[in-house]
Amino acid sequence: MAAFIHVYFYENMHVYMLSDNSVFAKFLESLTIYSSFLRQDPLIFVCGFIGLIYLMFTNSIFKTWHGKALFVAMMISNAAFVVYGYHAGQVYQYYELAFFPYIVVPSVFLLIQLFKFYQFKITKVNESQIFIGSVLISLFLVLGVNNNILSSKIFPNNASVTLQSTTKPQQPAQIIFGNIMRQQSHGRPTLLNYGSIDMGFYTTSGALPTNYYFQNYNIAYNKAPQIMNSQNESIKKAKTQWVVVNTPAGKNIKQWHGTGSKKISAGNLNPGTKKISKVMLRNYRVVALHTQNFENTNVAYWLLKRKSAKPSD
């Protein structure tokens, strides 16, 4: 419970943040972000703002002012805390999902009233057209807000899978490394994904984290030095059988010195491997290398295996 409170109520609000303004100013920034979210798209504006006005001045959703006041208070509190400490230009699109309940609830009831007003009903005559239309609208909306499909199996050997120019079907680093670790480990493998976020390597290998700080976060070193200190100590003592390291494509472990920010950079690249490379390559040997694109960055993923075998290996 102490760790939960520390991470979600201290780290998130005082460390993993971008704004250095006062507490009051941070709340205003949060509300400004929520306001801009409502204004940035006509459909969201209608469903969110107009839907909220509809909610406040009718009794079709909440019958009493207590219910209305509670809903609005929840919405304002949510808007204030979800992006507390962030600048408007540093809010990722998926953060806005936290605002959607307060848009969906009013918009659903608003649509119901519109259907009633125009006496719109689904019958055996029009149900097929409505179904087909709903599917087409859904596809349009989904494909219009993200391009994840371009990184799916529909497009084999896309950049998120491999940067190798070949027509032979390839697998991403996560699958390749996971298979190697499963095949060459006795029992469950132990793994450290050095200096970066999880990226799925623990899942594909079947490894359960043995390090408390089994991944790094988008936090500057001076704000939480224990994370990388713990991982460096793990490398020095060769605590895990396997290590996954990433560098920019074209650079090796000895060359990657980081961006100077001492935190994760674009592509979830680690803060640098040059300083730890000597002891890392003394205790571990490179088993596999794979390059692929992540977040518009060409990344080289390195799989290293501990040199001195232990009984668990």
Side-chain angles (χ1 to χ4, degrees):
M1 182 59 68
F4 171 80
I5 294 173
H6 178 77
V7 170
Y8 283 94
F9 293 95
Y10 174 76
E11 296 280 346
N12 275 354
M13 297 180 70
H14 297 280
V15 177
Y16 191 75
M17 55 191 293
L18 302 161
S19 176
D20 294 322
N21 292 323
S22 65
V23 173
F24 179 71
K26 290 173 186 174
F27 279 123
L28 288 181
E29 284 178 329
S30 298
L31 295 175
T32 300
I33 291 170
Y34 181 63
S35 175
S36 64
F37 170 65
L38 292 178
R39 291 183 289 103
Q40 69 184 10
D41 184 273
L43 183 59
I44 291 176
F45 178 80
V46 170
C47 295
F49 184 74
I50 297 180
L52 180 63
I53 298 298
Y54 171 79
L55 176 150
M56 293 297 295
F57 292 95
T58 67
N59 294 325
S60 60
I61 305 177
F62 298 105
K63 306 300 181 183
T64 67
W65 277 101
H66 295 91
K68 297 175 183 178
L70 180 60
F71 182 84
V72 173
M74 290 170 60
M75 182 190 70
I76 294 175
S77 299
N78 187 76
F81 283 103
V82 165
V83 289
Y84 174 85
Y86 287 80
H87 294 303
Q90 299 293 332
V91 175
Y92 294 105
Q93 193 174 32
Y94 62 85
Y95 290 2
E96 296 172 348
L97 291 174
F99 300 142
F100 266 75
Y102 306 98
I103 294 175
V104 172
V105 171
S107 62
V108 166
F109 283 88
L110 183 60
L111 285 173
I112 291 173
Q113 295 305 313
L114 287 174
F115 290 159
K116 288 182 178 179
F117 179 80
Y118 287 105
Q119 298 181 343
F120 178 81
K121 294 181 179 180
I122 299 177
T123 65
K124 291 183 178 181
V125 177
N126 64 11
E127 63 180 0
S128 59
Q129 291 94 328
I130 293 171
F131 175 77
I132 294 172
S134 299
V135 170
L136 292 175
I137 292 172
S138 298
L139 283 174
F140 174 78
L141 292 175
V142 170
L143 296 178
V145 297
N146 74 79
N147 58 1
N148 289 346
I149 193 172
L150 300 179
S151 300
S152 70
K153 289 185 178 181
I154 297 176
F155 299 90
N157 290 357
N158 63 76
S160 69
V161 172
T162 180
L163 296 179
Q164 183 182 357
S165 179
T166 176
T167 56
K168 183 179 179 180
Q170 301 291 311
Q171 296 281 6
Q174 288 84 343
I175 301 298
I176 296 173
F177 292 3
N179 290 337
I180 293 173
M181 284 184 268
R182 288 176 183 272
Q183 293 167 4
Q184 298 186 20
S185 300
H186 298 290
R188 188 180 292 275
T190 56
L191 168 67
L192 172 64
N193 184 34
Y194 181 81
S196 184
I197 65 171
D198 173 21
M199 293 297 296
F201 289 104
Y202 291 98
T203 301
T204 57
S205 65
L208 291 176
T210 54
N211 297 71
Y212 186 81
Y213 296 104
F214 63 91
Q215 64 175 10
N216 191 20
Y217 306 87
N218 194 19
I219 298 174
Y221 174 81
N222 62 343
K223 290 187 176 181
Q226 66 271 24
I227 298 175
M228 289 309 300
N229 287 347
S230 171
Q231 293 201 2
N232 289 333
E233 185 67 14
S234 178
I235 296 296
K236 291 175 182 177
K237 294 183 177 180
K239 290 183 177 180
T240 60
Q241 181 186 1
W242 301 93
V243 173
V244 171
V245 180
N246 63 38
T247 65
K251 289 186 178 292
N252 60 42
I253 297 172
K254 294 181 179 180
Q255 297 171 328
W256 173 233
H257 54 75
T259 61
S261 63
K262 293 186 177 181
K263 60 187 297 188
I264 293 175
S265 53
N268 286 326
L269 292 169
N270 63 67
T273 54
K274 185 175 182 179
K275 289 184 178 180
I276 195 69
S277 63
K278 186 175 181 180
V279 65
M280 182 181 287
L281 295 175
R282 183 170 66 238
N283 294 334
Y284 295 87
R285 60 182 176 86
V286 176
V287 174
L289 166 65
H290 186 84
T291 56
Q292 62 196 50
N293 185 279
F294 184 72
E295 293 183 345
N296 299 316
T297 303
N298 291 338
V299 183
Y301 294 94
W302 307 76
L303 176 63
L304 296 91
K305 185 177 183 181
R306 186 165 54 199
K307 289 181 178 179
S308 56
K310 296 184 178 181
S312 59
D313 294 348

